Amino acid sequence: MPRAGVVVVVCLVAALVVAAFVVPVPGPAELRAWASGAGAAAPALLFLTYVVATLVPIPRTVFSLASGLLLGPVVGVTVALAATGVSALVSFALARSLGRRMVARHLARTRVRAVDERLTEGGWLAVASLRIIPAIPFLPTNYACGLASVRLRPYLTGTIAGSVPGTAAAVLLGDTLTGGTPPALLAVYAGCAAAGAAGLWLAIRRPGTFQRRPVREAGTGD
């Protein structure tokens, strides 16, 4: 890096350090008061930010925490789940309309077709089981379902149903702002992972799962 670039970087870091000590950082109570004073603008702004930000690989939990911190448990959960549904629908539609034709020839492969059939036949329970496992990322799951033959209605139903436990837990954590991860929240996440794994196993093992059926053409209809 040129010397001038090094000087610029050092100056920027120094400025950030100074700002961290000089600029007052609002506390949780002040942030909640600001959001309350903003009226309907705060939920609307957070909803739009949530939807747009989760269309790229940014952890959804960050915005669920922000929903609880700024909006409280009831409004926070409502906004977070609504934004989750809209973001999931948009990314699903993008994958189905733009990417499905590009991967259509790969869907005929034995292993890919087997996974596609299991996920599709599993319906909303398979999708909900994937959503409820905290370790499975949100955005790649959206794209995977859009590229697969999963129908829109069970996809959205499973997305909302499976997102409720983890989203509610994150929103409540943001509302309480304990400063750490309480054991109760870890227990919730562990329970979600176990329930998701069990549901996924049931979804792919139930009768009719392995019956072959024609791959549906691209489109977001159910």
Side-chain angles (χ1 to χ4, degrees):
M1 180 182 293
R3 183 175 301 178
V6 174
V7 172
V8 171
V9 171
V10 171
C11 291
L12 287 175
V13 172
L16 290 175
V17 172
V18 172
F21 287 97
V22 175
V23 178
V25 178
E30 295 174 306
L31 291 173
R32 176 68 65 83
W34 171 84
S36 300
L45 180 60
L46 185 55
F47 173 84
L48 291 175
T49 303
Y50 199 126
V51 171
V52 173
T54 50
L55 292 176
V56 295
I58 297 178
R60 192 172 61 89
T61 304
V62 173
F63 301 96
S64 297
L65 289 169
S67 298
L69 172 64
L70 297 176
L71 307 178
V74 177
V75 179
V77 169
T78 302
V79 169
L81 286 177
T84 295
V86 173
S87 177
L89 176 60
V90 172
S91 51
F92 176 90
L94 288 173
R96 181 62 57 90
S97 60
L98 300 179
R100 182 62 183 269
R101 290 185 176 88
M102 298 174 60
V103 301
R105 60 189 179 91
H106 298 291
L107 294 177
R109 296 181 178 179
T110 303
R111 293 183 179 180
V112 176
R113 185 175 67 244
V115 173
D116 183 41
E117 289 177 353
R118 292 183 185 186
L119 184 59
T120 302
E121 293 290 347
W124 74 270
L125 179 59
V127 177
S129 300
L130 291 174
R131 297 298 192 189
I132 206 172
I133 301 176
I136 297 181
F138 177 72
L139 187 62
T141 302
N142 298 345
Y143 290 144
C145 290
L147 294 176
S149 303
V150 180
R151 294 181 298 167
L152 179 59
R153 185 176 301 171
Y155 167 76
L156 286 179
T157 302
T159 293
I160 297 301
S163 298
V164 168
T167 301
V171 170
L172 292 176
L173 176 61
D175 179 53
T176 56
L177 200 66
T178 59
T181 303
L185 186 62
L186 294 177
V188 169
Y189 283 151
C192 287
L200 189 59
W201 184 84
L202 290 174
I204 65 176
R205 295 292 296 175
R206 67 185 184 181
T209 296
F210 302 103
Q211 295 178 358
R212 294 186 178 181
R213 67 179 190 177
V215 176
R216 297 175 62 89
E217 295 297 328
T220 56
D222 59 354

